């Protein structure tokens, strides 16, 4: 089985688990998996908006956090492109260490071309990307960041060839000076 087919199979299985666990009336849980974690881990450096999203969308934060792993805590969350929430960008940092993990949740209810990317700040940046047409989410992408700062990028379009993005967001993926 090819890597892409295997990934799509995992995504499909995760979607079934999510729908069974959360019911179809809970679109905030579209990150794909039923939460195995019971503890909501939020970074002390998370902003008020991130904390509000975590409180309102606990199931989605737990589900996306499971995709990153138990050593990660929520650093940043943003509804994109605005409160209409076509997508939600979740960025997690390792509780100890230099790890960054990003997941871009598709909240549209239909497949869209999506890309999530994490890059470190260097003269020649290193980036990790997941992109394709997804109905649930893009990612997770993980990177050990040896520099102090990193960025997370989320892009959503109706198709890969579309010239206009529904979402095109770049933000810090770690606390920076």
């Amino acid at each position: 089985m090819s890597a892409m087919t295997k990934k799509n199979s995992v995504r499909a299985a995760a979607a079934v688990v999510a729908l069974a666990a959360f019911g179809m009336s809970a679109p905030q849980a579209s990150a794909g998996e039923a939460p195995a974690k019971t503890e909501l881990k939020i970074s002390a450096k998370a902003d008020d908006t991130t904390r509000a999203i975590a409180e309102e969308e606990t199931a989605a934060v737990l589900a996306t956090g499971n995709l990153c792993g138990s050593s990660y805590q929520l650093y940043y969350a943003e509804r994109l492109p605005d409160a209409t929430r076509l997508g939600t960008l979740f960025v997690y940092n390792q509780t100890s260490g230099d790890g960054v993990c990003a997941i871009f949740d598709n909240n549209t209810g239909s497949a869209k071309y999506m890309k999530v990317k994490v890059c470190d700040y260097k003269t020649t940046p290193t980036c990790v990307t997941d992109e394709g047409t997804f109905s649930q989410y893009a990612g997770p992408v993980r990177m050990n960041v040896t520099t102090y700062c990193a960025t997370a990028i989320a892009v959503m379009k109706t198709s890969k060839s579309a010239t206009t993005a529904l979402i095109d967001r770049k933000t810090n993926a770690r606390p920076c000076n």
Side-chain angles (χ1 to χ4, degrees):
M1 183 180 292
S2 74
M4 187 53 83
T5 304
K6 187 180 286 185
K7 185 173 185 178
N8 288 339
S9 296
V10 170
R11 288 176 192 268
V16 170
V17 170
L19 289 174
F22 303 120
M24 294 189 72
S25 65
Q28 72 275 11
S30 68
E33 289 189 2
K37 289 190 222 179
T38 56
E39 179 186 0
L40 184 59
K41 296 180 184 179
I42 302 174
S43 169
K45 297 183 180 189
D47 63 19
D48 290 341
T49 300
T50 297
R51 291 177 187 286
I53 290 171
E55 184 176 313
E56 293 170 19
E57 301 176 29
T58 303
V61 172
L62 288 170
T64 55
N66 280 338
L67 295 170
C68 287
S70 63
S71 67
Y72 287 86
Q73 60 188 355
L74 182 64
Y75 167 68
Y76 181 80
E78 183 179 9
R79 295 178 179 116
L80 297 170
D82 49 35
T84 60
R85 198 180 77 147
L86 299 176
T88 307
L89 177 60
F90 295 98
V91 178
Y92 294 82
N93 290 168
Q94 276 186 318
T95 52
S96 62
D98 297 325
V100 172
C101 178
I103 297 169
F104 184 25
D105 200 12
N106 180 343
N107 305 127
T108 67
S110 63
K112 301 283 186 242
Y113 168 79
M114 299 174 70
K115 175 167 53 174
V116 64
K117 178 165 56 171
V118 172
C119 300
D120 59 13
Y121 277 23
K122 292 182 182 176
T123 305
T124 306
T126 302
C127 299
V128 181
T129 304
D130 184 32
E131 65 183 308
T133 301
F134 304 122
S135 60
Q136 295 293 313
Y137 57 90
V141 293
R142 291 178 199 82
M143 172 182 253
N144 281 335
V145 179
T146 56
T147 58
Y148 191 62
C149 296
T151 58
I153 298 164
V155 175
M156 179 186 282
K157 301 191 292 186
T158 55
S159 69
K160 185 173 184 172
S161 61
T163 57
T164 304
L166 301 169
I167 296 171
D168 189 356
R169 179 73 167 117
K170 180 178 181 180
T171 189
N172 286 331
R174 289 176 52 100
C176 297
N177 288 339

